[in-house]
């Protein structure tokens, strides 16, 4: 059963791409300024980067890592 995602749940969060099929996206980080069902847009400095969610794994940098 596929989990339903909460669209917009990442807006305003600071995230980092930790894995991507597109190697140039690895370590991209910034504030999420927009989110759709399939994509997120990250503000990294002065540029905006559109990322396809299904092709990346991200880390929410706002959360503390307890492990």
């Amino acid at each position: 059963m596929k989990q339903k995602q909460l669209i917009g749940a990442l807006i305003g969060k600071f995230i980092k791409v930790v894995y991507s099929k597109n190697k140039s996206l690895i370590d991209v980080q910034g504030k999420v300024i927009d989110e759709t069902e399939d994509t997120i847009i990250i503000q990294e400095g002065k540029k905006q980067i559109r990322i396809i969610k299904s092709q990346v794994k991200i880390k929410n940098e706002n959360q503390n890592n307890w492990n």
Side-chain angles (χ1 to χ4, degrees):
M1 185 167 154
K2 188 174 181 181
Q3 269 188 313
K4 186 172 182 174
Q5 295 178 348
L6 293 175
I7 297 174
L10 292 175
I11 294 176
K13 305 274 197 236
F14 187 82
I15 64 166
K16 179 178 181 179
V17 177
V18 293
Y19 170 80
S20 175
K21 293 178 181 181
N22 178 349
K23 301 300 180 197
S24 69
L25 292 176
I26 295 175
D27 291 331
V28 167
Q29 56 188 352
K31 185 177 180 180
V32 177
I33 58 169
D34 196 15
E35 179 181 12
T36 67
E37 187 173 336
D38 299 320
T39 65
I40 53 177
I41 299 176
I42 297 175
Q43 182 78 41
E44 184 183 48
K46 293 185 178 184
K47 62 183 175 178
Q48 295 178 357
I49 303 167
R50 183 178 303 270
I51 297 174
I52 300 171
K53 289 180 182 179
S54 63
Q55 295 183 1
V56 298
K57 290 188 181 182
I58 59 172
K59 178 180 177 184
N60 184 345
E61 294 290 309
N62 292 355
Q63 296 175 344
N64 292 327
N65 292 325
W66 300 105
N67 295 336

